[in-house]
Structures are given as C-alpha cells and as structure tokens.
Amino acid sequence: EAGVAQSPRYKIIEKRQSVAFWCNPISGHATLYWYQQILGQGPKLLIQFQNNGVVDDSQLPKDRFSAERLKGVDSTLKIQPAKLEDSAMYLCASSPPPRTNRAYGYTFGSGTRLTVV
Amino acid sequence: QKEVEQNSGPLSVPEGAIASLNCTYSDRVSQSFFWYRQYSGKSPELIMSIYSNGDKEDGRFTAQLNKASQYVSLLIRDSQPSDSATYLCAVKGNYGQNFVFGPGTRLSVLP
C-alpha cells in the first residue's frame, strides 16, 4: 500500500513569513496526526483528526498554527507568522482506528524539515 | 502530565553485541507500547509493538514489558552498524488517548 505522503521535504523561510505543509494519509486511515519534532527531542503532538473532525489540538499554538482536514482525507498545516523556534521536523502520521483498547502503531510520512532564519 | 523517559545516550556497543535500550513511563493505565527507529534526518519507522507483560521477539529484536514496574525495553541482538540510529519509545493510554514519545536514545554500533 502507498505510504503517508508529505510535501515539501524541505523549506527555508524568514521569520514572520508564512508556510504550509501538506499531508495525504494511507487510504482508509481515518485518523491523522501532525507532530513537531525539534532536533534532539521526541515528536510532540500538535493536532489529531478523526475523519475531518479535530480530536485533540491542546498543544497546537493556535495564535500562529492552524490545520484543516477537508473531506476527511488530506490535511494542511499552516504557520503564520513563523518564529525561529518553529524550526523543526513536521511529521504527519496516520493510523486506522483501534478495534480494542490496543492501538495500532502510527505510520509516519517522510516529514518536512523547516528552517526559520 | 504523562511522561516517557529514556536515556539520551549515546549508547555505544561493538558490532555483534547485544544493545539494550530502556524506557520508563509515568501513566500506570498505559496499554500499548511501541519502539520506533529514526535515522538521522529521516522520519520514525515502527519496529516493534507490545501490549502484554513479558517478551516479544521479532528477528533480532526483543521487546520486554513490565507493567508493574512501568518499564519497557528493547534488546537488539547481533548489533550491526546499520542499527546505528535513535530509538524512540512511545506509550499510549486508554482508548482515544494519543501516543506520548520519549526523547529517544541514540545508539552507535561500532564496527
């Protein structure tokens, strides 16, 4: 099966500019996640979608970050305006919903490396 | 605040040795446990999942879970230089909760 698609792979922007990332999950995966991974740290959840609804966005900096998942398939994450501390890898992941209390592991896309200068 | 802790490393082992990676978690009701491997500049890839106490083996990898001690580990037998990467531990609680990732342990396998 095709994996999680993300674009672009790399992006360099100046602070205060805006940037958008795109993700297309594995076909049939209802759950989509956006993670931020700062160098040397583990991934941190930004937002979780179930179909086209938001399940958890408690760690999303809503003053500058926004995300949408129209039609319950692909998703876009936007940062406006960007700050230097937003430099990180942005990872999209998807998973099928768990049938029991045991979760399936995520499948991550290749990620977008963002550098804010 | 749910926490997952790992030694950041680097953990250095000679080629052919057993590498032992450890992870502790704070949420006692955690149900699902995962190990991911992440090469430098790449995204994480799932290598093992474990749900019940005890050992689970998959090729050269063995995951061990002890829920009473809130401890999960990953053993890599016959370590190869290609195993050199950061290993992330991820823990999930009850239904509807998200994964919490540890900071990762960097493993270096020396030829």
Side-chain angles (χ1 to χ4, degrees), chain A residues 37 48 56 101 103 106 109, chain B residues 31 36 38 43 51-52 95 98:
Chain A
Q37 187 177 23
Q48 175 189 352
D56 185 352
N101 206 29
Y106 294 168
Chain B
Q31 298 289 333
Y36 284 81
Q38 186 173 29
S43 62
Y51 305 99
S52 304
Y95 186 86
N98 292 304

Side-chain angles (χ1 to χ4, degrees), chain A residues 72-90:
Chain A
V73 181
D74 55 349
S75 176
T76 303
L77 175 70
K78 297 180 181 177
I79 307 175
Q80 182 179 13
K83 294 185 175 182
L84 296 177
E85 58 261 37
D86 298 331
S87 294
M89 173 87 85
Y90 289 85

Side-chain angles (χ1 to χ4, degrees), chain A residues 33 35 37 40-43 45 48 56 89 91 98 100-106 108-110, chain B residues 31-32 34 36 38 41-44 46 51-52 88 92-96 98-99 101-103:
Chain A
Y33 313 83
Y35 278 82
Q37 187 177 23
Q41 299 181 17
L45 180 71
Q48 175 189 352
D56 185 352
M89 173 87 85
L91 296 161
T100 68
N101 206 29
R102 293 182 174 184
Y104 296 104
Y106 294 168
F108 283 95
S110 56
Chain B
Q31 298 289 333
S32 305
F34 304 88
Y36 284 81
Q38 186 173 29
K42 304 294 185 182
S43 62
L46 180 66
Y51 305 99
S52 304
L88 297 163
K92 186 182 184 302
N94 288 328
Y95 186 86
N98 292 304
F99 286 23
F101 283 85

Side-chain angles (χ1 to χ4, degrees), chain A residues 31-105:
Chain A
T31 311
L32 184 148
Y33 313 83
W34 283 103
Y35 278 82
Q36 179 193 59
Q37 187 177 23
I38 293 171
L39 193 63
Q41 299 181 17
K44 183 186 82 171
L45 180 71
L46 292 175
I47 189 167
Q48 175 189 352
F49 291 96
Q50 181 75 22
N51 296 308
N52 62 347
V54 175
V55 174
D56 185 352
D57 64 356
S58 58
Q59 297 189 85
L60 185 73
K62 298 181 184 63
D63 58 335
R64 298 185 301 107
F65 286 65
S66 65
E68 60 182 10
R69 190 183 185 195
L70 301 176
K71 301 180 182 178
V73 181
D74 55 349
S75 176
T76 303
L77 175 70
K78 297 180 181 177
I79 307 175
Q80 182 179 13
K83 294 185 175 182
L84 296 177
E85 58 261 37
D86 298 331
S87 294
M89 173 87 85
Y90 289 85
L91 296 161
C92 180
S94 70
S95 70
R99 294 184 181 180
T100 68
N101 206 29
R102 293 182 174 184
Y104 296 104

Side-chain angles (χ1 to χ4, degrees), chain B residues 23-71:
Chain B
C23 171
T24 59
Y25 58 95
S26 62
D27 188 358
R28 186 168 290 277
V29 300
S30 297
Q31 298 289 333
S32 305
F33 307 86
F34 304 88
W35 283 99
Y36 284 81
R37 178 175 62 200
Q38 186 173 29
Y39 292 113
S40 180
K42 304 294 185 182
S43 62
E45 57 178 321
L46 180 66
I47 54 173
M48 289 285 289
S49 60
I50 188 166
Y51 305 99
S52 304
N53 282 328
D55 295 359
K56 179 181 178 182
E57 186 175 319
D58 184 359
R60 295 187 297 113
F61 299 98
T62 299
Q64 300 174 317
L65 175 61
N66 183 326
K67 290 186 179 181
S69 300
Q70 296 176 234
Y71 176 91

